[in-house]
Amino acid sequence: MSDRPKVAIIIGSLRANSVNRRLAQAIARQAAPKLDMHIVEIDQVPLYNQDLEADLPAPVRDLKAALAAADGVLVMTPEYNRGMPGVLKNVIDWASRPPGQSIWRGKPVAIAGSSPGALGTGAAQVDARNVLTAIDAAVMGMPQIYFVHREEHFTSEGDFADPKFRDYVDAWTDKFTAWIGKVGG
Ligand code: FNR
C-alpha cells in the first residue's frame, strides 16, 4: 500500500444530481492529500441473479476488480424508506459472490450518507453496517458522517462551506487513513 491509500467510492444513487454524489465528491476533494479516492460507477451492474455467477457479467467483473484493487471502500448510502436503496444492496451482494470470492472479507470500509431529512441517513447507515459486518467487512466505527443536505452547506465550487464541517472531514480522513493502515492487508 502506498502512503496515499486508494479508496473506491460506491454511491447508492443513480441520479445525476445525487446529493450523495455531491457529498462524496466534496469529501474526495478535501481528503485528496491523504487518500486517493475515486468513484466506481455502478449504473451498468445488472440485478443480481445467481444463474449468472458461473460467468459473471462484465460490469460485475469490473466492479469486483475495482473494489478488490482498492485499499478501502467508502460506501455512500442514500436513505430509502429507512433503509439502504436496492441499487446499493445489489452491488454489495454481487461483490460478495461467488462463495469464497467475496471482495468484502477484511476490507476496510467507511459508511457515509446524505439526505435532506433531519436524520441524514442514520437508519440507512445502520442497515448498511449490519449487512457489511455480516459479510466480514472491517467497517470503521467512528467517526460517522450523517450529512443533512442543504444547498448552503456547499460553496459554489462544491466544497464544504462550514469550517467546522471541514475540520470534521479532516479528522474523519485521518481516522479512515489510520483504519486502512491498521486493518488493511
Ligand atoms: C426517500 N427519501 C428519504 N429520506 C430520508 O431521510 N429517509 C427516508 O426514509 C427516505 N425515503 C425515501 C424513499 C424513496 C423511495 C425515495 C426516492 C426517497 C428522500 C431521499 O433522502 C432523497 O431523495 C435523496 O435526495 C436521495 O439521495 P440522492 O439520490 O440525492 O443521492
Side-chain angles (χ1 to χ4, degrees), residues 13 15 17-21 78-82 114-117 121:
S13 172
R15 75 188 192 96
N17 290 326
S18 161
V19 299
N20 283 277
R21 182 173 289 266
E79 183 165 294
Y80 281 6
N81 300 323
R82 295 289 181 258
S114 175
S115 150
T121 70

Side-chain angles (χ1 to χ4, degrees), residues 37-90:
M37 303 181 85
H38 55 282
I39 294 170
V40 175
E41 301 297 347
I42 63 167
D43 55 318
Q44 299 302 311
V45 176
L47 285 176
Y48 176 77
N49 178 345
Q50 195 167 357
D51 291 343
L52 305 181
E53 275 191 1
D55 183 16
L56 291 179
V60 176
R61 271 188 267 124
D62 293 347
L63 168 80
K64 289 192 70 181
L67 296 180
D71 300 308
V73 178
L74 172 59
V75 172
M76 295 293 310
T77 184
E79 183 165 294
Y80 281 6
N81 300 323
R82 295 289 181 258
M84 77 173 107
V87 293
L88 179 56
K89 180 65 162 51
N90 188 53

Side-chain angles (χ1 to χ4, degrees), residues 75 77-79 82-84 111-114 119-132 144-147:
V75 172
T77 184
E79 183 165 294
R82 295 289 181 258
M84 77 173 107
I111 302 170
S114 175
L119 299 181
T121 70
Q125 291 193 41
V126 169
D127 186 27
R129 185 172 297 271
N130 279 343
V131 169
L132 288 160
Q144 300 176 358
I145 297 178
Y146 301 101
F147 194 77

